[in-house]
């Protein structure tokens, strides 16, 4: 009897290259950041003062979940698994949320806007030194939240007392978030094995903080 032919896998001769530890770490932190953003927007939705704002928060949460699917496909295309790459970063932001408990909806919106914006800046700085398709794929998965800014600016412009309170709160959020991200770099040295150095990342975070605070009309 003629033995059966060995099974072949289409495209198996073109196996994608394995990622370096640095590339896998940056992929992982971007995937992790999408989960953080989705959870944060969902939590904000539960505290929203109106159905319109609740719906907007839920839409943003859903968009971050959709981004995870795209990152999963990107990871597979370069021989990696997105969930496995992100696993080491679970809990990497520590007790940031416990240390910063907003008093009202305005403080909650500002906290989310600044914290997630800085997390995105952090990821972009790390991804900028990667080769394609990772560089554009990871950067494209990171988005800016404009809802919070649009919702906060009218109140800040018309209420000096609110502007002063949110200015203090915003500076506290920025300080805590930057400190948290710096500790993450110290805990995961492979993140800095690429083109971005510690000073480069810190400069990006500082610029992002100043730009966001000033765009809201708050003192940085």
């Amino acid at each position: 009897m003629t033995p059966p032919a060995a099974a072949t896998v289409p495209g198996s001769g073109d196996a994608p290259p394995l990622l370096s530890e640095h590339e896998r770490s940056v992929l992982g932190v971007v995937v992790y950041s999408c989960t953080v953003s989705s959870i944060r927007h969902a939590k904000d939705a539960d505290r929203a003062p109106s159905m319109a704002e609740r719906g907007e928060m839920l839409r943003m949460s859903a968009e971050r979940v959709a981004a995870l699917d795209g990152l999963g496909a990107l990871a597979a295309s370069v021989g990696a698994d997105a969930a496995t790459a992100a696993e080491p970063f679970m809990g990497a932001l520590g007790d940031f949320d416990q240390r910063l408990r907003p008093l009202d909806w305005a403080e909650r919106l500002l906290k989310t806007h600044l914290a997630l914006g800085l997390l995105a800046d952090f990821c972009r700085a790390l991804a900028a030194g990667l080769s394609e398709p990772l560089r554009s794929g990871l950067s494209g998965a990171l988005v800016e939240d404009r809802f919070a800014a649009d919702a906060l600016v009218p109140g800040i412009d018309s209420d000096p007392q609110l502007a002063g309170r949110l200015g203090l709160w915003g500076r506290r959020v920025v300080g805590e978030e930057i400190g948290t991200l710096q500790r993450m770099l110290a805990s995961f040295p492979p993140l800095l094995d690429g083109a971005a150095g510690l000073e480069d990342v810190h400069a990006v975070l500082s610029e992002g903080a100043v730009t966001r605070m000033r765009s809201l009309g708050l003192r940085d």
Side-chain angles (χ1 to χ4, degrees), residues 27 30-31 33-35 37-38 59-75 82 137-138 140-143:
L27 166 66
V30 174
V31 172
S33 77
C34 281
T35 68
S37 298
S38 178
R59 277 189 289 275
M60 288 192 289
S61 179
E63 287 171 3
R64 297 296 81 215
V65 173
L68 287 174
D69 293 334
L71 289 171
L74 174 66
L138 296 181
L142 302 165
V143 298

Side-chain angles (χ1 to χ4, degrees), residues 26 30 122-131 134-136 138-139 142:
V26 177
V30 174
F122 176 78
C123 291
R124 285 192 196 93
L126 296 175
L130 300 181
S131 57
L134 278 178
R135 181 171 62 241
S136 59
L138 296 181
S139 297
L142 302 165

